Amino acid sequence: MARRCPVSGKGVLVGMNVSHAHNRTKRRFLPNLQQTSLLSETLGRSVRMRLTTNAIRTIEKRGGLDAYLIGTANTKLDADLLKVKRQIVKAAEAKAA
């Protein structure tokens, strides 16, 4: 499983630990990934994803998972999120009909 957020695109960064004596050793800065369940109101179920805390805040600010996915262009979405978006759009059309 990749250490990359599908929403924000944040991934692993590489840098140096620098001691007081200026000895430098390589280190990795990992993104704050959290396993989370976001409720899709249209689908009526929760969708589990591994997102950064920044991405979770962004989705909540935009009105939830459904509103975020519908308002985001398909080219900017990860393959897994695109699959969920298609399910949401299909379910919304079925409810409207």
Side-chain angles (χ1 to χ4, degrees), residues 10-67:
K10 290 189 177 189
V12 177
L13 296 175
V14 179
M16 295 284 187
N17 279 332
V18 182
S19 70
H20 184 70
H22 206 65
N23 297 330
R24 294 166 37 146
T25 56
K26 286 191 82 154
R27 63 159 295 178
R28 294 171 46 174
F29 294 93
L30 300 178
N32 188 8
L33 289 171
Q34 304 294 324
Q35 185 75 31
T36 184
S37 295
L38 297 172
L39 181 64
S40 170
E41 296 170 1
T42 307
L43 296 177
R45 64 179 175 90
S46 61
V47 179
R48 289 186 63 180
M49 287 185 276
R50 199 163 177 232
L51 302 173
T52 58
T53 53
N54 188 343
I56 295 169
R57 290 181 58 170
T58 301
I59 290 171
E60 292 300 322
K61 180 180 179 180
R62 298 232 188 128
L65 181 64
D66 297 349

Side-chain angles (χ1 to χ4, degrees), residues 76-95:
K76 293 188 175 186
L77 292 176
D78 187 54
D80 296 332
L81 290 176
L82 195 56
K83 183 178 175 183
V84 174
K85 180 178 179 177
R86 287 189 189 119
Q87 292 174 355
I88 289 172
V89 169
K90 189 174 181 181
E93 289 173 355
K95 284 185 180 180

